[in-house]
Every structure is written in structure tokens, then in C-alpha cells.
Amino acid sequence: MPPPTDRHEILHRLRSQINAGIPILGSGAGIGLSAKFVESAGGDLIIIYNSGRFRMAGRGSLAGLMPYGNANDIMFEMAKEILPIVHRTPVLAGICASDPYLPSYLPSYLRHLKSLGLCGIQNFPTVGLIDGQFRVHLEQTGMGYDLEVNLIKEARALEMLTTPYVFNPDEARLMAKAGADIVVAHMGLTTGGSIGAQEAEGGNNKALGDCVERVQAIRDAVYAVNPEIIVLCHGGAIASPEDAGYVLERTKGVHGFYGASSIERLPVEKAITEVTRSFKGLKMGERR
């Protein structure tokens, strides 16, 4: 049985959970194994994009923003691995909207993804993770965030589920007006582990407090445009279930968490390390 693709049915199920007080959980999946067990554990959404492939190869997630391969082609290859193994959980595609060759065939490309069994779209790789003069030049030369807003608008017109990353209230308003179904408040590269960002100065509690303020500001901006939009938090210091709980308990109108490194990288790092040490600590019988 293929994963569900009907946008209205998916949103109805998610809103029913919210009304029941159950948080929504979306998860990135870089390999089929991750997708299989996210689904078996009850994850609500699975998102595939190029960073997942780099992440599970032992590289930092920001590799997805570097010129190490065509992001949309990598996502397509991942879809062929993950879609056959998922049966009950909606699967979304992360699309690099600033691909200069994409605009000429974007609607047909989105329809093709939908025909494969991908229910929706997320804007990744995203220039939202880029700041400074480089970001300014991207915006000035037609490779900016507005292309990602248009991606969400085009996907929404095709009745695909849309779950864009936003990084500030202004972007949140743009995506809400474009017809986003779920807005993901992105707090930056996830901290912790061997290839994550370092914790912010002042420790994790200070960083989490900052996340609470930023997530709430994004949620309020979304709500002002469309109060029906689902809002999730992601990234930065929100790296564990306890961190997500800290933010969800201190914000209003935030409906869950979207994890990637926090679900498929950090737990794997810990589990493999611990089981390897356990095997190495075994006692052998008498040597003859």
C-alpha cells in the first residue's frame, strides 16, 4: 500500500491529533531504514531532501547547501529508496527552488513528484540558512527566498501539502500568504553530536529561551494571516524530546516538532557508540 497523498485527509488527521492534545511530529529521512522506523514509531510526516543523504553519510547537514551534487536529483534518488518502504505515513519532497533550470518546468515537475506518491513539498535546500553579503547577492541576482515562496504557491495550487521552513516573522507571513499548510519555524543548524553546531554561548537553557521567543514570534505572524495553519518548531538548540517539550510548553499555538538530525543522526551516533563499546567489553572464555 503506497503512502497517503490526499492533502485534505492528511490535514484532517493532523488537526484531529492537535485537538486531542497530541503533538505533530515530522521527520527527515536520509535512508530507508530511518523512514521505516519513523513510521513504525508513529511519526506523522516524513520529509526527504539531499541533506539527509549527506547526514547519514557522516557529514554535516549544511553539506546540502554546498555544490556537492544536484539537490533535486539527489532527492529523487532518495524517493526511489524510501517510497516503497513507507505505507501509512505521508512523504514530502524537499525541493531546491533556486535551481535555475526549475522555473521553466516547475508545475509539470511537481505533478510528476505527486504521481510518484510524494504528497507535498518543503523548501530545502533553502537560502534561509544563508546570511550576510552572500545572502544579499543571492537575493539581488534572482536566487533568493522569493523563489521558495513561489514553490509553495505552485505546490498549493496543485493541492499538494506544503510545509515550508521559515526563519523570521517576515518569511512566515510570506509563506502563510502563499498558502502554506504547515509552517516550520527553523532555529538554525541543530546543536550537538559529532557534526552538529556547537551550543550557543550561555548554555542550552539560554539558547532554548531564545528559541521560545523566536518560535512564538513566527507563530504569531502566521496566525495573523491564517489561524488555521499548523506551526512546528525545528533546529538550533531544540535537539532532543526534552528540548522540544521545553519550547512547546512555553509557547502558545505551536503544534509540534520537526526533527532531522535530532531523530535520525543523534540517536544513531549514541546507539552505535554504546553497542560497539558493549561488544568490545565482552569477556572471553579461557584461551587454549
Side-chain angles (χ1 to χ4, degrees):
M1 181 175 67
T5 58
D6 187 281
R7 171 179 168 269
H8 295 283
E9 289 182 6
I10 295 168
L11 287 172
H12 176 74
R13 187 180 71 181
L14 296 179
R15 288 176 179 139
S16 296
Q17 281 193 203
I18 293 169
N19 292 336
I22 302 170
I24 303 304
L25 179 64
S27 175
I31 56 176
L33 189 68
S34 298
K36 182 175 182 177
F37 287 98
V38 164
E39 177 171 70
S40 70
D44 298 299
L45 301 167
I46 292 172
I47 303 90
I48 55 177
Y49 49 78
N50 69 330
S51 272
R53 180 55 52 86
F54 290 116
R55 181 187 306 121
M56 300 312 288
R59 308 300 178 183
S61 295
L62 290 183
L65 276 71
M66 300 297 287
Y68 301 152
N70 184 292
N72 294 333
D73 287 350
I74 292 171
M75 180 281 301
F76 185 75
E77 290 299 316
M78 294 169 67
K80 291 192 290 185
E81 175 183 338
I82 290 171
L83 283 171
I85 209 167
V86 176
H87 304 293
R88 301 180 307 278
T89 309
V91 181
L92 298 94
I95 302 297
C96 179
S98 55
D99 179 343
Y101 303 106
L102 192 60
S104 61
Y105 62 93
L106 179 58
S108 60
Y109 181 69
L110 292 176
R111 282 192 289 268
H112 178 58
L113 294 179
K114 190 174 182 179
S115 72
L116 295 176
L118 290 156
C119 73
I121 297 298
Q122 187 168 61
N123 55 323
F124 195 92
T126 171
V127 301
L129 281 167
I130 301 171
D131 56 15
Q133 196 62 39
F134 184 41
R135 172 67 180 274
V136 171
H137 287 167
L138 287 173
E139 298 289 345
Q140 291 175 345
T141 54
M143 293 179 278
Y145 193 79
D146 60 319
L147 293 173
E148 300 178 26
V149 175
N150 183 65
L151 169 69
I152 297 305
K153 183 178 179 180
E154 292 281 356
R156 179 67 177 79
L158 293 173
E159 283 295 314
M160 299 182 79
L161 189 72
T162 52
T163 67
Y165 279 137
V166 304
F167 298 82
N168 56 57
D170 288 339
E171 292 172 357
R173 281 186 283 269
L174 288 173
M175 286 298 190
K177 291 176 182 178
D181 297 304
I182 301 170
V183 166
V184 183
H186 199 308
M187 299 292 103
L189 187 65
T190 301
T191 61
S194 63
I195 52 176
Q198 299 300 307
E199 287 188 4
E201 183 179 352
N204 204 49
N205 286 339
K206 180 179 178 181
L208 281 172
D210 178 61
C211 288
V212 168
E213 294 180 8
R214 292 171 59 197
V215 169
Q216 189 65 62
I218 287 171
R219 179 269 176 189
D220 292 345
V222 168
Y223 188 87
V225 176
N226 182 358
E228 297 301 313
I229 294 175
I230 295 169
V231 178
L232 308 180
C233 58
H234 168 74
I238 316 172
S240 69
E242 294 77 18
D243 297 334
Y246 182 98
V247 173
L248 293 177
E249 289 170 6
R250 289 165 175 79
T251 52
K252 179 181 179 181
V254 179
H255 307 110
F257 175 70
Y258 170 71
S261 293
S262 54
I263 290 180
E264 71 167 351
R265 174 176 65 81
L266 293 172
V268 167
E269 288 186 17
K270 181 179 179 181
I272 292 178
T273 299
E274 290 181 352
V275 77
T276 301
R277 287 174 177 163
S278 295
F279 276 115
K280 287 295 291 182
L282 296 175
K283 303 298 183 183
M284 295 189 293
E286 182 180 349
R287 293 188 294 277
R288 299 181 183 273

